[in-house]
Amino acid sequence: MNTIGVIGSGLMGNGIAHVSALAGYDVILSDIEMARAEAARATIQKNLARMVAKGSVTEADADAALARIRLTTDNADHAAADLVIEAATENEGVKARIFQSLSLAPHALLASNTSSISITRLASTTDRPDRFCGLHFFNPVPLMALVEIIPGLATSEDTKAKMHEFARRLGKTAIEAADSPAFIVNRVLCPMLNEAIFALGEGVGSVTDIDTGLKLGANHPMGPLTLADFVGLDTLLSIMQVMQAATGDPKYRPAPLLVKYVEAGWTGKKSGRGFYDYSGPEPVPTR
Ligand code: CAA
Ligand code: NAD
């Protein structure tokens, strides 16, 4: 494999492009507007510079990685890729429409970075269910060591083996998860984040007290409300909705306050406001 296509240049797409380019792959990064892809490249440049400053990457390697990333808004450009990773908005219809718009090379593998949606069902909307797999990265991709590999019902052994090989070349640790709603990590993590939002909505604690509680009382690196903002409240809501719809289990119902925040457009750090306001030099709790 030489060339990786990444579709969607948001929080995850820019991180996947970053680590792929740093591992020596040529990268084609696409989004619906060139301005979004250009913003992603600026983010990658900033994050590579942090790694240079910390001494984990040389300046020459960072420059070479950035030069390997080509931006586009035309999905036809992904025909040059050996592996295409879809990292667009967590919405099944959006993903299915993207897959239907692709004309990939016959040998190319196709993966989805979905957080929760059925890999088997997504695969069935493509022209290559045997060469389709879930490949779930964690945010922020350059710092998080894990990748979940989720084979769908039709995923071939060869495709799965190539996903493992790719994860290894990126320096990530891979685990395999069954194609069950939200897989392993989000199955456990997202209900915890949702529960923290229930607790906030019920007045059990303030934003600061809930976050401090989990940071100091459970040694979490970020409090759950900070982490929910970091993931994106729209993405967290979609994950909870997928889990609730797929299982029918009311324990996965989204917290009403989560729904309200997304309705208000307060989708967390990426929009400048969620459970914290990010407009100043330091995040300020909003409740
Ligand atoms: N590339 C990208 N982002 C970087 C970076 C790099 N090289 N270096 C730092 N960052 C980002 C951080 O996200 C954060 O953002 P801002 O400064 O821009 O506000 C900042 O840089 C923090 O920098 P630090 O140097 O202080 O980083 P740190 O060493 O304290 O570690 C962390 C930060 C690794 C993110 C840590 O806080 C952590 O582990 N948090 C929990 C992350 C987590 O749980 N992620 C999983 C989310 S769930 C998911 O991803 C799955 C899903 O489907 C929803
Ligand atoms: P995001 O909102 O930051 O970015 C999504 C990007 O997809 C946007 O730039 C949007 O313009 C683009 N997009 C939408 N429709 C498109 C189309 N038709 N063609 C090309 N691009 C399109 O979202 P994100 O957090 O990067 O999430 C992307 C995927 O990764 C989702 O499936 C999400 O569940 C998953 N994921 C998210 C996280 C997280 O912590 N945020 C972690 C792991 C996996």
Side-chain angles (χ1 to χ4, degrees), residues 66-230:
L66 201 61
R68 278 194 281 270
I69 300 173
R70 184 156 67 85
L71 308 180
T72 183
T73 54
D74 186 356
N75 276 346
D77 290 342
H78 290 292
D82 303 301
L83 164 63
V84 173
I85 304 167
E86 172 279 311
T89 311
E90 186 72 344
N91 176 297
E92 193 165 341
V94 167
K95 291 180 189 298
R97 279 191 294 280
I98 288 172
F99 297 142
Q100 279 151 21
S101 76
L102 296 175
S103 291
L104 302 184
H107 74 279
L109 302 179
L110 184 54
S112 177
N113 185 52
T114 178
S115 299
S116 57
I117 299 168
S118 163
I119 299 301
T120 300
R121 209 164 52 236
L122 288 178
S124 75
T125 69
T126 76
D127 62 354
R128 57 196 69 213
D130 58 323
R131 275 160 291 144
F132 187 91
C133 196
L135 192 62
H136 185 215
F137 290 84
F138 291 81
N139 181 21
V141 180
L143 301 186
M144 300 297 284
L146 189 73
V147 172
E148 278 180 310
I149 294 176
I150 307 112
L153 199 58
T155 306
S156 71
E157 285 300 316
D158 180 60
T159 299
K160 206 172 75 176
K162 285 184 171 134
M163 295 296 161
H164 277 280
E165 194 184 310
F166 177 61
R168 223 176 0 257
R169 184 153 159 205
L170 298 186
K172 304 291 186 197
T173 299
I175 58 172
E176 267 186 42
D179 186 17
S180 170
F183 322 125
I184 294 174
V185 176
N186 283 340
R187 163 88 176 254
V188 178
L189 179 65
C190 293
M192 189 274 287
L193 302 183
N194 191 47
E195 195 61 30
I197 302 168
F198 267 115
L200 180 69
E202 290 168 15
V204 179
S206 65
V207 167
T208 303
D209 285 341
I210 290 171
D211 271 357
T212 303
L214 273 290
K215 267 166 61 183
L216 301 187
N219 262 3
H220 290 190
M222 287 176 167
L225 300 171
T226 299
L227 185 55
D229 273 2
F230 189 66

Side-chain angles (χ1 to χ4, degrees), residues 37-83:
E38 279 164 357
R41 179 156 57 192
T43 301
I44 295 168
Q45 190 164 17
K46 184 184 84 182
N47 288 333
L48 284 167
R50 290 193 219 239
M51 294 172 97
V52 172
K54 284 184 182 166
S56 55
V57 171
T58 67
E59 198 157 352
D61 285 348
D63 289 348
L66 201 61
R68 278 194 281 270
I69 300 173
R70 184 156 67 85
L71 308 180
T72 183
T73 54
D74 186 356
N75 276 346
D77 290 342
H78 290 292
D82 303 301
L83 164 63

